[in-house]
Amino acid sequence: MSLLAALTSNPTPVKRAASLVAGVMARSLASAIEKPPLAAHYPVTPGSLTAHLQLKSGETFTGGSFGAPVSTVGETVFTTSLVGYPESMTDPSYRGQLLVFTQPLVGNYGVPGRARDAFGLLRHFESEKIQCRGIIVGDYATKYSHWNAVESLSQWCEREGIPAITGVDTRALVHILRGQGSTLGSLNVGATKSESVEWVDPNADNLVAQASTDTVRVFNPEGDVHVALIDCGVKYNIIRSLCAQGARVSLVPWNHNIVNDLASFDGIFISNGPGSPAYCTETIEQLRQAYAVYQRPIFGICMGNQLMGLAAGINVYKLPFGNRGHNQPAVDLTTGKCVITSQNHGYALDDSSMPMGWDRFYVNANDGSNEGIRHLEKPFRSVQFHPEAKGGPLDTAHLFADFVTQVRAMKAAGVPAIADIANNESINVKQSATA
Ligand SMILES: NC(=O)CC[C@H](N)C(=O)O
């Protein structure tokens, strides 16, 4: 007997159950319709200032201000990460951006202190300061609680001059960003929205040059293998992860002439970084020359993947709204295994321009975008996601151990760092690099 027949032909108990179900459904429908819109959540605290997020595409969101009462313009991007706002906000890759959190409740565990680890790196942050230009949240938690917290998210933002807005319907906002793509936004504090915003695109600048170190810095000087880490805006956990594997790390500026002393490095690593990779022409040229002669491992993360790809001759394009979050599935094409990864990028390598000698390494299982490349003969590999996490899953943290183990093994086996001097091509490359 069908459910409909049972409901209509059977006597009372079934009919009563059916009318109960209908009643509950009607009530929940009514309460859904009566629910006030999210924007009614603001202001969060009595007396808090009004703030506006204005998109260059025309939409305006009104909310309550927290953090610094200042105004700013940036590229509006969203992350689906559930936790890790101290790490995300200090990740130099977010430089120039207004960061929207899709997780509605933000700030509830406060902000940790500035303890440092054995390598002198801040334990709980990914760089020395907040790097994004502002944050946008649905529901800022005015009360925080965590054993490690020393201040609130609002106090931290205020001290560092970063504006923030709460009470925004972030679902509606993300709908717009996914529909039309990332767009510039203006976050301004005050009762009325700004009539004349000066739309300055942060991606029109070389943000890597701003985020990179000016001088060479050595970490873990006792390490048994020497890795050059090209700093395009490195997250501290990348340095820490290499040091923890026993490597001595020389952090070098993004445009450092590594080709000049390739022989002194047992391995080369290229970090994450903000903005468009197209500005890093000097890094790309250094890598291109290194590919020709270097025989030891090279590895890149995120911006590092894009720069290694560009040096190999692969094109880069801008994704419509990027992949930012801690739950991005990536498939390792060498094993077929799917891993969950931490991501934060707006650009991607175009697989269709893969040159001879290179292949895809990982692919994104959601949108099919490139998640890494590998050289078919040389030990050169890179990934678009973040194996260092902070925050996010540690599924791919083994890539640091794999890299340093390979560096160590090749050094122990006596593989020369640069190709045989009798190789004409190598000589030419080295001469042009040192000219
Ligand atoms: N995390 C990163 O290194 C990001 C790389 C680049 N800025 C991008 O958005 O694609």
Side-chain angles (χ1 to χ4, degrees), residues 74-333:
E75 182 187 13
T76 318
V77 299
F78 66 90
T79 174
T80 57
S81 59
L82 299 181
V83 291
Y85 53 84
E87 292 93 331
S88 294
M89 289 168 65
T90 53
D91 175 350
S93 303
Y94 280 114
R95 204 179 168 88
Q97 296 177 330
L98 297 178
L99 182 55
V100 182
F101 290 94
T102 62
Q103 154 74 357
L105 194 62
V106 177
N108 47 339
Y109 60 94
V111 175
R114 293 176 70 85
R116 292 192 184 261
D117 66 11
F119 308 113
L121 300 163
L122 289 171
R123 266 184 203 286
H124 308 296
F125 303 100
E126 289 307 300
S127 69
E128 294 296 312
K129 59 175 188 177
I130 301 178
Q131 300 276 351
C132 61
R133 289 207 178 146
I135 59 168
I136 294 136
V137 308
D139 198 352
Y140 171 61
T142 48
K143 286 188 185 145
Y144 68 89
S145 172
H146 193 269
W147 66 269
N148 205 16
V150 297
E151 61 185 338
S152 72
L153 176 57
S154 184
Q155 287 166 331
W156 183 42
C157 286
E158 190 166 5
R159 260 194 320 102
E160 301 225 1
I162 302 297
I165 180 172
T166 177
V168 170
D169 183 348
T170 49
R171 292 168 301 179
L173 174 55
V174 168
H175 220 76
I176 294 168
L177 296 178
R178 283 182 62 102
Q180 68 181 24
S182 302
T183 182
L184 292 184
S186 161
L187 184 50
N188 59 286
V189 180
T192 53
K193 63 178 208 167
S194 173
E195 289 306 327
S196 56
V197 178
E198 208 189 316
W199 298 108
V200 182
D201 185 355
N203 293 318
D205 269 338
N206 183 349
L207 297 177
V208 164
Q210 296 172 16
S212 177
T213 179
D214 295 333
T215 53
V216 176
R217 297 174 62 196
V218 178
F219 295 86
N220 195 32
E222 310 303 321
D224 65 331
V225 286
H226 186 198
V227 172
L229 172 53
I230 301 177
D231 181 8
C232 297
V234 71
K235 285 173 70 182
Y236 280 170
N237 207 36
I238 292 179
I239 307 174
R240 185 184 293 112
S241 300
L242 290 169
C243 291
Q245 291 299 325
R248 170 183 165 210
V249 175
S250 287
L251 187 71
V252 302
W254 67 284
N255 55 356
H256 188 76
N257 193 336
I258 49 163
V259 175
N260 256 0
D261 35 50
L262 278 179
S264 69
F265 303 125
D266 300 315
I268 297 170
F269 210 98
I270 308 105
S271 84
N272 63 295
S276 167
Y279 291 99
C280 298
T281 47
E282 291 163 72
T283 326
I284 296 164
E285 182 55 21
Q286 290 289 317
L287 288 171
R288 203 185 59 76
Q289 294 188 28
Y291 286 166
V293 291
Y294 199 62
Q295 309 198 115
R296 300 275 184 85
I298 305 180
F299 196 96
I301 290 177
C302 205
M303 176 63 90
N305 180 53
Q306 295 164 7
L307 297 178
M308 281 186 65
L310 283 164
I314 306 171
N315 299 328
V316 165
Y317 65 100
K318 193 156 197 243
L319 293 162
F321 49 83
N323 282 330
R324 296 179 182 85
H326 297 162
N327 55 354
Q328 287 285 333
V331 178
D332 178 344
L333 295 171

